[in-house]
Amino acid sequence: FYTDDAGLKLCDRIRRQCFNCRATATTTWRRSILNPGKLVCNKCGLFERTHAVPRPKTFPRRRRSL
């Protein structure tokens, strides 16, 4: 069972999951700025803090200049 609630106590049956991208393994867990009380992975947390929007699932492809 996975949870993204920051206030829930973890045990053998309850593991953490990112609220934004649903990742279950990360180096650091962060509290979401945009969704108080929710946990996000390190990547999503840093993106939220820098850009003040949730991290997108996929990023737009950059066009190469010739």
Side-chain angles (χ1 to χ4, degrees):
F1 177 66
Y2 290 98
T3 183
D4 53 19
D5 187 12
L8 196 60
K9 185 169 173 61
L10 300 179
C11 66
D12 292 340
R13 293 184 183 211
I14 300 175
R15 311 250 330 181
R16 289 180 173 162
Q17 178 180 7
C18 178
F19 177 72
N20 189 38
C21 69
R22 303 292 181 217
T24 57
T26 183
T27 55
T28 306
W29 291 103
R30 298 177 179 270
R31 293 179 185 268
S32 177
I33 297 169
L34 303 175
N35 302 300
K38 298 294 183 183
L39 286 172
V40 290
C41 66
N42 191 44
K43 285 183 181 180
C44 292
L46 290 174
F47 192 92
E48 272 187 14
R49 191 174 73 190
T50 306
H51 302 285
V53 293
R55 184 171 168 255
K57 305 289 186 245
T58 58
F59 288 90
R61 306 272 297 181
R62 284 188 167 176
R63 291 179 27 186
R64 287 187 171 177
S65 60
L66 297 174

